[in-house]
């Protein structure tokens, strides 16, 4: 009898173990545990990785450590002065899917200062291309709650630039930052043949961009496809305050072919710059690379473009105005007329305040525009269309199909109210 009871007890234990193993196997094989945790494709360990740094040495070590791919670097309060003795000539180059975050709610608590970097730090190895002190573009990169600054007496290129090209698509986010004192504050760019076919998407939200006045650009934000083909930029901007720059925004395709830029602006304030915005469907940068078949599409919703009256002086001798818009463009020092063809610019302004800007008109619009009235027109078959809705329709416009005049009449500008 005792033997029978012992046998029954052992059988029951064995059954419980089997049930437990089967249950564990079912949990481990549950497809939701594999596919739903991380739809972005980033390794879960990398996705949750946070690296805390307290000084510039720790910052360089963290950003250049290959083990930190996909991680978020969190900076303690303080000033981080970049130094060319560190790797990559002192630039901060974000790795794949890496983010850099300061102190939430306090963008002035963490300062990255680039003033100590020499000009050589802004030229890429084996290249004449100038770049930014902080470089993005490898997968999904973001910058948040940080002040990026340069002393305006120190000549540099961009504070932030998106010219790391490792994949055919990339996403960047720049939010809650202060960006000041450079030639270009934020450069969102597809550049050269390596960026051909690339799609770059960007979110630019709740930033203050000011006092970018150095060199020929002096722009708070520059969005461009340059010397490339079949590339695309898609940018969403919201609630940015852009002031005290030579140009609030420069947006264009330059010496490129079959490229597209799409920008949507919501509740941005573009005020007290030399010129508010320059929008070019295609302009000439190199005589060997004409601008052909490019398109720029801009939409503004409740964005304010006001008091851009020529102080500081606008770049490239643009006259002060709220918006300069041209389908095809040639401008100094790259004025090579007759080489911008079949470019298109579409501008939709909905409920935007465009007022009290310098010049004779709030918007200067051209099918094609060159700075030299005695030269050949910028090119042919360039088209600009401007749609004004709500209070945007109050803006007065100076419009010309071509400046200088094009006898063939292929360039055109149309305004719809």
């Amino acid at each position: 009898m005792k033997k029978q009871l012992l046998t029954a007890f052992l059988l029951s234990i064995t059954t419980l173990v089997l049930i437990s193993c089967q249950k564990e196997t079912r949990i481990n094989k549950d497809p939701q545990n594999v596919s739903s945790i991380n739809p972005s494709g980033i390794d879960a360990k990398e996705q949750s990785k946070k690296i805390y740094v307290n000084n510039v040495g720790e910052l360089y070590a963290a950003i250049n450590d290959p083990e930190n791919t996909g991680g978020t670097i969190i900076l303690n309060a303080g000033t981080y002065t970049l130094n060319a003795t560190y790797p990559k000539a002192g630039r901060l180059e974000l790795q794949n899917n890496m983010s850099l975050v300061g102190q939430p709610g306090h963008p002035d608590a963490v300062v990255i200062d680039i003033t100590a970097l020499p000009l050589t730090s802004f030229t890429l190895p084996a290249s004449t291309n100038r770049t930014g002190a902080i470089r993005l573009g490898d997968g999904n990169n973001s910058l948040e709650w940080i002040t990026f600054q340069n002393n305006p007496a120190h000549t540099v290129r961009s504070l932030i630039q998106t010219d790391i090209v490792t994949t055919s698509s990339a996403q960047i986010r720049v939010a809650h930052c202060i960006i000041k004192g450079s030639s270009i504050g934020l450069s969102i760019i597809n550049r050269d043949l390596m960026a051909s076919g690339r799609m770059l998407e960007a979110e630019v939200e709740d930033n203050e961009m000011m006092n970018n006045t150095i060199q020929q650009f002096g722009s708070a934000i520059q969005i461009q496809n340059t010397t490339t083909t079949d590339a695309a930029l898609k940018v969403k901007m919201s609630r940015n305050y852009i002031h005290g720059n030579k140009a609030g925004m420069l947006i264009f395709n330059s010496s490129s072919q079959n490229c597209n830029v799409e920008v949507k602006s919501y509740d941005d304030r573009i005020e007290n710059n030399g010129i508010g915005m320059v929008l070019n469907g295609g302009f000439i940068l190199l005589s060997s690379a004409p601008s052909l078949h490019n398109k720029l599409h801009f939409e503004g919703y409740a964005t304010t473009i006001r008091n851009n009256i020529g102080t500081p002086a606008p770049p490239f001798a643009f006259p002060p105005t709220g918006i300069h818009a041209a389908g095809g463009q040639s401008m100094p020092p790259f004025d090579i007329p007759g080489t911008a063809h079949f470019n298109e610019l579409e501008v939709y302004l909905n409920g935007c305040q465009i007022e009290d800007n310098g010049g004779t008109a709030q918007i200067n619009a051209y099918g094609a525009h060159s700075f030299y009235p005695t030269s050949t027109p910028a090119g042919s078959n360039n088209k600009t269309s401007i749609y004004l809705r709500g209070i945007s329709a109050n803006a007065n416009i100076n419009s010309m199909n071509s400046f200088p005049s094009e006898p063939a009449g292929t360039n055109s500008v149309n305004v719809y109210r």
Side-chain angles (χ1 to χ4, degrees), residues 18-28:
L18 287 171
I19 292 171
S20 177
C21 289
Q22 289 172 352
K23 183 178 181 181
E24 183 178 357
T25 300
R26 285 196 298 271
I27 292 173
N28 289 338

Side-chain angles (χ1 to χ4, degrees), residues 95-97 137-141 164 166-167 169-172 200:
Q95 298 184 63
N96 183 256
N97 298 326
D138 189 353
N140 192 332
N141 294 145
I164 296 177
T166 56
T167 56
S169 63
Q171 301 79 39
I172 70 159
L200 176 62

Side-chain angles (χ1 to χ4, degrees), residues 5 29 42 45 55 119 125 133 148 156 161 195 235 246 268 273 291 294 335 337 340 350 404 411 413:
L5 289 173
K29 289 185 177 180
I42 303 172
K45 182 180 179 181
N55 56 58
L119 283 177
F148 298 93
V156 296
Q161 191 153 307
V235 182
K246 284 186 176 181
D268 293 307
N273 304 283
S291 283
N294 301 295
D335 194 68
N350 305 271
N411 296 309
V413 59

